[in-house]
Amino acid sequence: MSKITRREFALLAAGAGAVASHLEFARPAYAAGSARVVIIGGGPGGAAVANRLKSADAALDVTLIEPKDKYTTCFYSNLYLGGFRSFRSITHDYEGVKKRGITVVTDTATAVDTTAKTVTLARGSSPLSFDRLVVAPGIDLKFETIEGYSPDAAKIMPHAWQGGEQTWLLKEKLLALPDGGLIVMASPPNPYRCPPGPYERACMIGHFIKTRKPKAKLIIFDAKRTFSKEAVFEQAFNEYYRDIIELNLTNEIDDYTVVKVNAATGEVTTKSGRTERAALANIIPAQKAGSIAAKMGLTEGDWCPVNPDNFTSTKVKDVYVLGDAAIANPMPKSAYSAMSQANVVAADIIADLSGKPRPPGKYRNTCWSMLAPDNSAKIGGDYFPGKKDGKEILEAKDEFISKPDDSPDIRRQTYQESADWYRTAVADLFGEEPQKAGH
Ligand SMILES: Cc1cc2nc3c(=O)[nH]c(=O)nc-3n(C[C@H](O)[C@H](O)[C@H](O)COP(=O)(O)OP(=O)(O)OC[C@H]3O[C@@H](n4cnc5c(N)ncnc54)[C@H](O)[C@@H]3O)c2cc1C
């Protein structure tokens, strides 16, 4: 059995793992420099594909299109809200990506001509041509599902479900909250980015309240009956945040889905008619694939159907879609999933360009959530293509989930694992030197 290299280990730890195809990239057979891959979106999905392609074949022409020159990760953003991370530590530029020989174009893709194989940019003068196209635009928010909510209202009632300015804004509003102020969170309906995310956020806001504004309260109005890692979160709410967090899950009699907000007065209203006047509202609406996906005809409903073997679109030929925008249920929409899908996509592109066999991919996910200092929980498993109950990706039988009665040692180790994962993942994605966990 061949020895695994340090780099391969790092990739495995970062979610590149459980993907034999990553370690078995076909040797390129096409002429050096003759193929160009364009990738739309510089998040974990797009950046990981770019990196994998370039490390598989340095001669491949790889272009990454991303409007932001700095990427603030949503993963670990809740820890920033809780006071465990700085904003700087979760914000990364693309200099390391460029150093790998990837062309990074700071612009927005506005249209794609799949016949001429070109991408039009918002500011770029001439369209970019491609041989293979990867679309990883993440999510957009369905503001219209909540009356009174809009991009302008989100400046007052931030969602902070896309990283960057919104993350910053929510923290600023937390810092400015009067002690005794009421925070109201609207948790979104399925499917959405990061299933445990709202509840990790509740814990981190709970910790912030406990340590900074002890008279404040958090009410969660949830558009669901049940949620990821529920037993562990409920135990944490009871143990650490008993008089701080009020969780209202929806049911048929009393529906807690938020249907209306008033940014001017701070009012948040549920379907059953309950209205709370919030000093700070964190409104996380329903979600859909990043808008370029619908514009390109990649969507069915709100999301993009894909071939589970390799994440090629089932709607538009020769285009790959991965990350949050893709329908990969039961894989959750997570950075870990996106990076795992990226391995398969990159291996498939190289094999395709080389005229080699394209074996179906295998995938993995782990989602960690911080509950309290030195206390994290996790859920995860392996996935493979297959058909059952209308699904085309199946979960292997080795899935794992933290338990409410885990020992403090296990929780501490789980926290450490998550910190190691973050450090390795951003080093892999953005080419930064791995930093010590922290700030
Ligand atoms: C609070 C919170 C906590 C989370 N915690 C975790 C966690 O602990 N672990 C985990 O694995 N995941 C976590 N996630 C989920 C994770 O952030 C997402 O699943 C991940 O970012 C998805 O990656 P992506 O590449 O598909 O999309 P994104 O990260 O959204 O990246 C897409 C990129 O595409 C760009 N883009 C969009 N349209 C265009 C266009 N037309 N042209 C060019 N570029 C475009 C966008 O600017 C964006 O940078 C969390 C999410 C939230 C909100």
Side-chain angles (χ1 to χ4, degrees):
M1 193 181 175
S2 65
K3 207 170 161 233
I4 199 161
T5 64
R6 221 181 140 67
R7 179 172 157 67
E8 283 163 356
F9 174 76
L11 292 173
L12 286 161
V19 184
S21 48
H22 153 63
L23 304 174
E24 294 161 8
F25 272 110
R27 188 158 294 286
Y30 49 88
S34 65
R36 183 182 220 191
V37 182
V38 170
I39 300 158
I40 298 176
V49 172
N51 293 332
R52 302 283 179 276
L53 286 171
K54 205 62 189 173
S55 60
D57 177 13
L60 195 64
D61 185 341
V62 181
T63 300
L64 183 66
I65 308 169
E66 165 60 51
K68 301 188 292 273
D69 60 1
K70 288 197 175 64
Y71 181 90
T72 301
T73 59
C74 279
F75 38 113
Y76 262 48
S77 65
N78 288 330
L79 278 67
Y80 164 60
L81 300 177
F84 296 94
R85 291 274 163 157
S86 64
F87 191 74
R88 205 171 136 250
S89 76
I90 58 165
T91 302
H92 310 275
D93 64 31
Y94 291 90
E95 293 312 308
V97 176
K98 290 178 195 165
K99 278 191 197 137
R100 291 169 169 160
I102 294 160
T103 305
V104 179
V105 175
T106 310
D107 210 334
T108 302
T110 51
V112 174
D113 182 335
T114 46
T115 310
K117 293 199 161 184
T118 55
V119 178
T120 304
L121 301 171
R123 295 198 307 268
S125 47
S126 49
L128 291 175
S129 60
F130 61 83
D131 296 296
R132 295 291 179 279
L133 180 69
V134 178
V135 181
I139 57 154
D140 267 330
L141 298 157
K142 295 175 75 175
F143 289 99
E144 69 284 3
T145 57
I146 298 178
E147 189 186 334
Y149 203 48
S150 65
D152 274 345
K155 292 178 186 149
I156 300 162
M157 298 177 151
H159 51 78
W161 221 244
Q162 286 165 317
E165 205 182 328
Q166 277 281 313
T167 319
W168 175 265
L169 195 60
L170 181 56
K171 180 68 182 265
E172 290 302 294
K173 288 187 179 290
L174 275 173
L175 291 167
L177 185 79
D179 198 5
L182 175 66
I183 306 170
V184 176
M185 180 198 290
S187 180
N190 291 319
Y192 62 98
R193 154 176 289 183
C194 194
Y199 315 98
E200 177 187 59
R201 177 170 290 175
C203 288
M204 292 295 94
I205 291 180
H207 178 79
F208 178 88
I209 290 175
K210 244 176 137 168
T211 51
R212 305 286 293 268
K213 317 264 172 173
K215 295 195 195 107
K217 293 264 175 302
L218 168 65
I219 294 178
I220 308 167
F221 289 135
D222 208 324
K224 301 178 286 299
R225 285 179 189 192
T226 179
F227 58 87
S228 173
K229 287 185 264 187
E230 186 168 345
V232 176
F233 279 115
E234 285 193 337
Q235 182 252 341
F237 292 170
N238 262 326
E239 184 171 342
Y240 300 108
Y241 313 113
R242 185 188 289 273
D243 297 319
I244 296 176
I245 297 176
E246 176 191 321
L247 171 66
N248 298 280
L249 291 168
T250 192
N251 61 51
E252 275 142 24
I253 301 153
D254 185 8
D255 195 335
Y256 289 107
T257 304
V258 168
V259 291
K260 189 174 164 189
V261 295
N262 183 333
T265 61
E267 285 171 329
V268 178
T269 304
T270 67
K271 200 168 174 182
S272 66
R274 176 168 163 190
T275 296
E276 292 288 345
R277 189 181 286 255
L280 165 55
N282 173 208
I283 305 298
I284 312 165
Q287 293 152 38
K288 61 182 178 184
S291 58
I292 186 74
K295 209 167 169 190
M296 285 180 64
L298 292 167
T299 48
E300 214 168 78
D302 288 329
W303 305 101
C304 306
V306 292
N307 174 349
D309 285 354
N310 55 12
F311 279 68
T312 45
S313 166
T314 58
K315 304 279 289 182
V316 180
K317 203 167 166 285
D318 292 336
V319 174
Y320 293 80
V321 186
L322 79 157
D324 286 358
I327 299 172
N329 184 32
M331 276 190 100
K333 297 184 185 300
S334 75
Y336 197 122
S337 294
M339 291 173 76
S340 175
Q341 293 157 10
N343 286 324
V344 172
V345 168
D348 195 76
I349 290 173
I350 297 280
D352 185 24
L353 288 171
S354 313
K356 298 268 166 74
R358 299 161 70 184
K362 294 181 202 151
Y363 311 94
R364 167 174 285 183
N365 178 61
T366 307
C367 280
W368 288 272
S369 304
M370 190 167 178
L371 308 171
D374 277 331
N375 182 343
S376 291
K378 65 178 173 183
I379 187 170
D382 290 336
Y383 302 85
F384 57 92
K387 280 192 192 298
K388 200 177 172 192
D389 301 335
K391 289 183 183 138
E392 297 205 3
I393 293 182
L394 304 179
E395 192 162 16
K397 294 234 174 304
D398 61 348
E399 72 272 17
F400 49 88
I401 182 165
S402 296
K403 297 183 185 60
D405 58 355
D406 282 339
S407 69
D409 263 1
I410 288 185
R411 291 294 179 76
R412 195 173 304 112
Q413 276 169 29
T414 308
Y415 167 71
Q416 199 48 55
E417 256 176 54
S418 84
D420 290 346
W421 170 74
Y422 185 86
R423 196 160 35 91
T424 320
V426 297
D428 175 27
L429 287 173
F430 301 104
E432 291 172 357
E433 283 302 307
Q435 311 271 315
K436 269 256 160 261
H439 315 277

